Short mmCIF file of all heavy atoms in Angstrom, two decimals:
data_model
loop_
_atom_site.label_atom_id
_atom_site.label_comp_id
_atom_site.label_asym_id
_atom_site.label_seq_id
_atom_site.Cartn_x
_atom_site.Cartn_y
_atom_site.Cartn_z
N PRO A 25 44.80 -43.00 18.27
CA PRO A 25 44.35 -42.48 19.57
C PRO A 25 45.53 -42.26 20.59
O PRO A 25 46.58 -42.99 20.37
CB PRO A 25 43.41 -43.66 20.00
CG PRO A 25 43.95 -44.76 19.34
CD PRO A 25 44.44 -44.39 18.04
N ALA A 26 45.37 -41.41 21.45
CA ALA A 26 46.40 -41.18 22.55
C ALA A 26 46.46 -42.26 23.37
O ALA A 26 45.43 -42.94 23.86
CB ALA A 26 46.03 -39.94 23.28
N HIS A 27 47.76 -42.79 23.64
CA HIS A 27 47.94 -43.83 24.63
C HIS A 27 48.73 -43.38 25.80
O HIS A 27 49.79 -42.63 25.57
CB HIS A 27 48.70 -45.05 23.98
CG HIS A 27 47.95 -45.85 23.04
ND1 HIS A 27 47.04 -46.79 23.29
CD2 HIS A 27 47.77 -45.65 21.64
CE1 HIS A 27 46.46 -47.26 22.23
NE2 HIS A 27 46.83 -46.59 21.20
N PRO A 28 48.41 -43.74 27.06
CA PRO A 28 49.17 -43.12 28.14
C PRO A 28 50.60 -43.84 28.16
O PRO A 28 50.63 -45.05 27.62
CB PRO A 28 48.32 -43.54 29.37
CG PRO A 28 47.50 -44.77 28.84
CD PRO A 28 47.23 -44.49 27.43
N VAL A 29 51.53 -43.15 28.73
CA VAL A 29 52.80 -43.82 28.84
C VAL A 29 52.81 -44.87 29.88
O VAL A 29 52.37 -44.64 30.95
CB VAL A 29 53.87 -42.67 29.12
CG1 VAL A 29 55.28 -43.29 29.45
CG2 VAL A 29 53.92 -41.66 28.11
N SER A 30 53.26 -46.08 29.52
CA SER A 30 53.20 -47.16 30.46
C SER A 30 54.24 -47.07 31.38
O SER A 30 55.31 -46.68 31.10
CB SER A 30 53.28 -48.49 29.69
OG SER A 30 54.40 -48.64 28.96
N ALA A 31 53.99 -47.45 32.72
CA ALA A 31 54.99 -47.46 33.67
C ALA A 31 55.91 -48.66 33.64
O ALA A 31 55.51 -49.72 33.20
CB ALA A 31 54.27 -47.39 35.09
N GLU A 32 57.08 -48.49 34.23
CA GLU A 32 57.93 -49.67 34.29
C GLU A 32 57.36 -50.80 35.15
O GLU A 32 56.76 -50.50 36.12
CB GLU A 32 59.25 -49.29 34.87
CG GLU A 32 60.07 -48.25 34.03
CD GLU A 32 60.58 -48.76 32.74
OE1 GLU A 32 60.76 -50.02 32.69
OE2 GLU A 32 61.03 -47.98 31.96
N GLN A 33 57.68 -51.95 34.91
CA GLN A 33 57.19 -53.02 35.70
C GLN A 33 58.03 -53.06 36.96
O GLN A 33 59.15 -52.56 36.96
CB GLN A 33 57.30 -54.40 34.99
CG GLN A 33 56.58 -54.61 33.79
CD GLN A 33 55.09 -54.54 34.14
OE1 GLN A 33 54.70 -55.19 35.08
NE2 GLN A 33 54.30 -53.94 33.29
N PRO A 34 57.28 -53.38 38.15
CA PRO A 34 58.07 -53.41 39.46
C PRO A 34 59.29 -54.17 39.34
O PRO A 34 59.37 -55.28 38.86
CB PRO A 34 57.09 -54.10 40.38
CG PRO A 34 55.75 -53.84 39.70
CD PRO A 34 55.88 -53.87 38.29
N GLY A 35 60.49 -53.67 39.92
CA GLY A 35 61.78 -54.29 39.86
C GLY A 35 62.47 -54.15 38.62
O GLY A 35 63.58 -54.72 38.35
N GLU A 36 61.83 -53.56 37.53
CA GLU A 36 62.51 -53.42 36.19
C GLU A 36 63.33 -52.09 36.17
O GLU A 36 62.80 -51.01 36.30
CB GLU A 36 61.49 -53.30 34.99
CG GLU A 36 62.11 -53.38 33.61
CD GLU A 36 61.04 -53.24 32.54
OE1 GLU A 36 59.87 -53.50 32.99
OE2 GLU A 36 61.40 -53.04 31.42
N ALA A 37 64.64 -52.31 35.90
CA ALA A 37 65.51 -51.11 35.76
C ALA A 37 65.39 -50.42 34.39
O ALA A 37 65.35 -51.22 33.44
CB ALA A 37 66.97 -51.49 36.27
N PRO A 38 65.44 -49.16 34.36
CA PRO A 38 65.55 -48.54 32.99
C PRO A 38 66.70 -48.93 32.25
O PRO A 38 67.78 -49.11 32.79
CB PRO A 38 65.52 -46.99 33.38
CG PRO A 38 65.03 -47.00 34.74
CD PRO A 38 65.42 -48.17 35.41
N LYS A 39 66.48 -49.25 30.89
CA LYS A 39 67.59 -49.72 30.09
C LYS A 39 67.79 -48.82 28.83
O LYS A 39 67.31 -49.20 27.83
CB LYS A 39 67.30 -51.18 29.71
CG LYS A 39 67.18 -52.17 30.86
CD LYS A 39 66.90 -53.59 30.35
CE LYS A 39 66.80 -54.54 31.61
NZ LYS A 39 66.51 -55.93 31.10
N GLY A 40 68.26 -47.70 29.07
CA GLY A 40 68.55 -46.77 27.89
C GLY A 40 67.34 -46.21 27.37
O GLY A 40 66.34 -45.98 28.07
N VAL A 41 67.28 -45.84 26.01
CA VAL A 41 66.23 -45.13 25.52
C VAL A 41 65.16 -46.06 24.96
O VAL A 41 65.45 -47.10 24.37
CB VAL A 41 66.72 -44.27 24.19
CG1 VAL A 41 65.67 -43.41 23.62
CG2 VAL A 41 67.81 -43.30 24.65
N ARG A 42 63.86 -45.68 25.21
CA ARG A 42 62.82 -46.55 24.87
C ARG A 42 61.72 -45.79 23.91
O ARG A 42 61.37 -44.60 24.35
CB ARG A 42 62.13 -47.19 25.99
CG ARG A 42 60.96 -48.05 25.59
CD ARG A 42 60.42 -48.88 26.75
NE ARG A 42 61.41 -49.89 27.23
CZ ARG A 42 61.31 -50.59 28.30
NH1 ARG A 42 60.17 -50.41 29.03
NH2 ARG A 42 62.15 -51.54 28.67
N PHE A 43 61.36 -46.29 22.79
CA PHE A 43 60.38 -45.71 21.93
C PHE A 43 59.13 -46.56 21.88
O PHE A 43 59.27 -47.75 21.76
CB PHE A 43 60.99 -45.41 20.58
CG PHE A 43 62.07 -44.47 20.53
CD1 PHE A 43 63.37 -45.05 20.60
CD2 PHE A 43 61.94 -43.16 20.50
CE1 PHE A 43 64.49 -44.21 20.57
CE2 PHE A 43 63.06 -42.24 20.51
CZ PHE A 43 64.35 -42.75 20.46
N ALA A 44 57.95 -46.06 21.82
CA ALA A 44 56.80 -46.67 21.51
C ALA A 44 56.16 -46.12 20.35
O ALA A 44 55.84 -44.91 20.22
CB ALA A 44 55.73 -46.56 22.66
N LEU A 45 56.03 -46.83 19.16
CA LEU A 45 55.70 -46.33 17.84
C LEU A 45 54.28 -46.96 17.45
O LEU A 45 54.13 -48.17 17.61
CB LEU A 45 56.69 -46.75 16.78
CG LEU A 45 58.18 -46.15 17.07
CD1 LEU A 45 58.98 -46.59 15.87
CD2 LEU A 45 58.04 -44.65 17.16
N ILE A 46 53.45 -46.08 17.05
CA ILE A 46 52.11 -46.58 16.48
C ILE A 46 52.14 -46.31 14.92
O ILE A 46 52.05 -45.06 14.66
CB ILE A 46 50.96 -45.91 17.22
CG1 ILE A 46 51.07 -46.11 18.68
CG2 ILE A 46 49.67 -46.40 16.51
CD1 ILE A 46 49.98 -45.41 19.44
N PRO A 47 52.24 -47.21 14.23
CA PRO A 47 52.20 -46.98 12.71
C PRO A 47 51.00 -46.10 12.22
O PRO A 47 49.84 -46.56 12.74
CB PRO A 47 52.25 -48.44 12.04
CG PRO A 47 52.86 -49.20 13.08
CD PRO A 47 52.42 -48.71 14.32
N VAL A 48 51.08 -45.23 11.41
CA VAL A 48 49.95 -44.35 10.95
C VAL A 48 49.57 -44.82 9.55
O VAL A 48 50.50 -44.63 8.71
CB VAL A 48 50.23 -42.96 11.02
CG1 VAL A 48 49.08 -42.13 10.48
CG2 VAL A 48 50.45 -42.45 12.55
N TYR A 49 48.43 -45.38 9.27
CA TYR A 49 48.09 -45.81 7.93
C TYR A 49 47.26 -44.78 7.14
O TYR A 49 46.59 -43.90 7.78
CB TYR A 49 47.33 -47.13 8.00
CG TYR A 49 48.16 -48.30 8.71
CD1 TYR A 49 47.93 -48.65 9.95
CD2 TYR A 49 49.12 -48.95 7.95
CE1 TYR A 49 48.67 -49.67 10.55
CE2 TYR A 49 49.91 -49.97 8.52
CZ TYR A 49 49.58 -50.25 9.91
OH TYR A 49 50.33 -51.24 10.47
N GLY A 50 47.26 -44.89 5.84
CA GLY A 50 46.50 -44.07 5.06
C GLY A 50 46.27 -44.50 3.65
O GLY A 50 46.95 -45.46 3.30
N VAL A 51 45.41 -43.94 2.85
CA VAL A 51 45.11 -44.27 1.58
C VAL A 51 45.04 -43.12 0.77
O VAL A 51 44.54 -41.92 1.18
CB VAL A 51 43.61 -44.90 1.41
CG1 VAL A 51 43.27 -45.14 0.11
CG2 VAL A 51 43.64 -46.30 2.26
N THR A 52 45.61 -43.07 -0.48
CA THR A 52 45.60 -42.02 -1.42
C THR A 52 44.84 -42.29 -2.66
O THR A 52 44.90 -43.45 -3.00
CB THR A 52 46.97 -41.39 -1.77
OG1 THR A 52 47.72 -42.55 -2.36
CG2 THR A 52 47.78 -41.00 -0.66
N ILE A 53 44.10 -41.36 -3.15
CA ILE A 53 43.38 -41.49 -4.38
C ILE A 53 43.59 -40.29 -5.29
O ILE A 53 43.73 -39.22 -4.81
CB ILE A 53 42.01 -41.73 -4.29
CG1 ILE A 53 41.23 -40.48 -3.76
CG2 ILE A 53 41.66 -43.00 -3.41
CD1 ILE A 53 39.73 -40.66 -3.80
N PRO A 54 43.92 -40.50 -6.65
CA PRO A 54 43.91 -39.19 -7.54
C PRO A 54 42.75 -38.62 -7.69
O PRO A 54 41.56 -39.26 -7.88
CB PRO A 54 44.59 -39.88 -8.70
CG PRO A 54 44.00 -41.32 -8.93
CD PRO A 54 43.94 -41.71 -7.44
N VAL A 55 42.64 -37.20 -7.71
CA VAL A 55 41.56 -36.43 -8.14
C VAL A 55 42.02 -35.69 -9.38
O VAL A 55 42.88 -34.79 -9.16
CB VAL A 55 41.09 -35.44 -7.10
CG1 VAL A 55 40.00 -34.69 -7.55
CG2 VAL A 55 40.77 -36.42 -5.80
N ILE A 56 41.38 -35.88 -10.43
CA ILE A 56 41.77 -35.30 -11.81
C ILE A 56 40.70 -34.40 -12.33
O ILE A 56 39.45 -34.70 -12.24
CB ILE A 56 42.07 -36.40 -12.80
CG1 ILE A 56 43.15 -37.37 -12.36
CG2 ILE A 56 42.40 -35.87 -14.26
CD1 ILE A 56 43.27 -38.67 -13.16
N VAL A 57 41.10 -33.20 -12.64
CA VAL A 57 40.19 -32.19 -13.16
C VAL A 57 40.47 -31.98 -14.52
O VAL A 57 41.67 -31.66 -14.89
CB VAL A 57 40.27 -30.86 -12.43
CG1 VAL A 57 39.14 -29.94 -12.72
CG2 VAL A 57 40.17 -31.21 -10.81
N ARG A 58 39.54 -32.03 -15.59
CA ARG A 58 39.78 -31.86 -16.94
C ARG A 58 38.77 -30.73 -17.48
O ARG A 58 37.69 -30.83 -17.25
CB ARG A 58 39.56 -33.12 -17.78
CG ARG A 58 40.56 -34.22 -17.45
CD ARG A 58 40.18 -35.48 -18.19
NE ARG A 58 41.16 -36.52 -17.98
CZ ARG A 58 41.04 -37.87 -18.10
NH1 ARG A 58 39.89 -38.31 -18.46
NH2 ARG A 58 42.01 -38.67 -17.92
N PHE A 59 39.44 -29.77 -18.07
CA PHE A 59 38.68 -28.74 -18.87
C PHE A 59 39.08 -28.69 -20.31
O PHE A 59 40.30 -28.70 -20.55
CB PHE A 59 39.05 -27.42 -18.21
CG PHE A 59 38.59 -27.18 -16.71
CD1 PHE A 59 39.56 -27.36 -15.66
CD2 PHE A 59 37.30 -27.04 -16.34
CE1 PHE A 59 39.15 -27.23 -14.44
CE2 PHE A 59 36.88 -27.01 -15.06
CZ PHE A 59 37.84 -27.07 -13.97
N GLY A 60 38.07 -28.62 -21.16
CA GLY A 60 38.29 -28.52 -22.51
C GLY A 60 38.23 -29.98 -23.18
O GLY A 60 38.05 -30.91 -22.42
N ASN A 61 38.28 -29.93 -24.45
CA ASN A 61 38.27 -31.18 -25.25
C ASN A 61 39.61 -31.75 -25.34
O ASN A 61 40.45 -31.44 -26.26
CB ASN A 61 37.64 -30.88 -26.65
CG ASN A 61 37.37 -32.12 -27.48
OD1 ASN A 61 37.28 -33.29 -26.89
ND2 ASN A 61 37.26 -32.08 -28.75
N LEU A 62 40.05 -32.58 -24.35
CA LEU A 62 41.30 -33.06 -24.29
C LEU A 62 41.41 -34.49 -24.96
O LEU A 62 40.52 -35.33 -24.81
CB LEU A 62 41.81 -33.18 -22.88
CG LEU A 62 41.71 -31.93 -22.06
CD1 LEU A 62 42.08 -32.18 -20.59
CD2 LEU A 62 42.41 -30.73 -22.77
N SER A 63 42.52 -34.81 -25.58
CA SER A 63 42.65 -36.15 -26.21
C SER A 63 44.06 -36.64 -25.81
O SER A 63 44.96 -36.03 -25.36
CB SER A 63 42.56 -36.07 -27.81
OG SER A 63 43.56 -35.28 -28.27
N ALA A 64 44.16 -38.09 -26.02
CA ALA A 64 45.39 -38.63 -25.75
C ALA A 64 45.55 -39.88 -26.70
O ALA A 64 44.49 -40.41 -27.00
CB ALA A 64 45.54 -39.02 -24.27
N THR A 65 46.75 -40.20 -27.05
CA THR A 65 47.06 -41.49 -27.79
C THR A 65 47.95 -42.27 -27.00
O THR A 65 48.81 -41.84 -26.13
CB THR A 65 47.54 -41.17 -29.24
OG1 THR A 65 48.75 -40.45 -29.07
CG2 THR A 65 46.54 -40.43 -30.01
N ALA A 66 47.97 -43.63 -27.26
CA ALA A 66 48.93 -44.56 -26.62
C ALA A 66 49.50 -45.44 -27.51
O ALA A 66 48.95 -45.71 -28.58
CB ALA A 66 48.10 -45.23 -25.59
N GLY A 67 50.63 -46.17 -27.14
CA GLY A 67 51.22 -47.23 -27.89
C GLY A 67 51.84 -48.23 -27.04
O GLY A 67 52.08 -48.04 -25.83
N ILE A 68 52.13 -49.39 -27.60
CA ILE A 68 52.68 -50.61 -26.87
C ILE A 68 53.90 -51.04 -27.70
O ILE A 68 53.76 -51.26 -28.93
CB ILE A 68 51.53 -51.67 -26.80
CG1 ILE A 68 50.33 -51.23 -26.04
CG2 ILE A 68 52.22 -52.90 -26.18
CD1 ILE A 68 49.21 -52.28 -26.14
N ALA A 69 54.96 -51.19 -27.08
CA ALA A 69 56.22 -51.57 -27.66
C ALA A 69 57.09 -52.48 -26.78
O ALA A 69 56.73 -52.72 -25.43
CB ALA A 69 56.98 -50.43 -27.99
N ASN A 70 58.02 -53.29 -27.27
CA ASN A 70 58.96 -54.14 -26.59
C ASN A 70 58.16 -55.07 -25.65
O ASN A 70 58.53 -55.34 -24.42
CB ASN A 70 59.85 -53.22 -25.59
CG ASN A 70 61.02 -53.79 -24.92
OD1 ASN A 70 61.55 -54.83 -25.63
ND2 ASN A 70 61.41 -53.43 -23.78
N VAL A 71 57.32 -55.82 -26.24
CA VAL A 71 56.64 -56.94 -25.62
C VAL A 71 57.54 -58.06 -25.54
O VAL A 71 57.99 -58.52 -26.61
CB VAL A 71 55.24 -57.15 -26.28
CG1 VAL A 71 54.58 -58.37 -25.50
CG2 VAL A 71 54.35 -56.01 -26.49
N HIS A 72 57.69 -58.63 -24.29
CA HIS A 72 58.63 -59.77 -24.18
C HIS A 72 58.17 -60.56 -22.88
O HIS A 72 57.41 -60.04 -22.04
CB HIS A 72 60.12 -59.44 -24.10
CG HIS A 72 60.44 -58.54 -23.02
ND1 HIS A 72 60.14 -57.08 -22.90
CD2 HIS A 72 61.01 -58.71 -21.77
CE1 HIS A 72 60.55 -56.47 -21.72
NE2 HIS A 72 61.13 -57.59 -20.98
#
């Protein structure tokens, strides 16, 4: 959401560059489309 820029506190002098950051979170999921009779094989090695 949009946040208004906060004013300096009374008597507070500006001190260089100031940034206000709002982390943006997200979730990704795979969407897989398969056409035809597809196959796959797998193997396991180097177990330690």
Side-chain angles (χ1 to χ4, degrees):
H27 289 278
V29 177
S30 58
E32 298 286 346
Q33 295 296 322
E36 181 180 350
K39 298 178 182 179
V41 181
R42 177 171 294 175
F43 299 94
L45 302 181
I46 302 175
V48 177
Y49 298 102
V51 174
T52 59
I53 68 170
V55 178
I56 297 168
V57 185
R58 291 175 179 161
F59 295 104
N61 186 19
L62 309 179
S63 62
T65 59
I68 301 169
N70 192 27
V71 180
H72 62 281

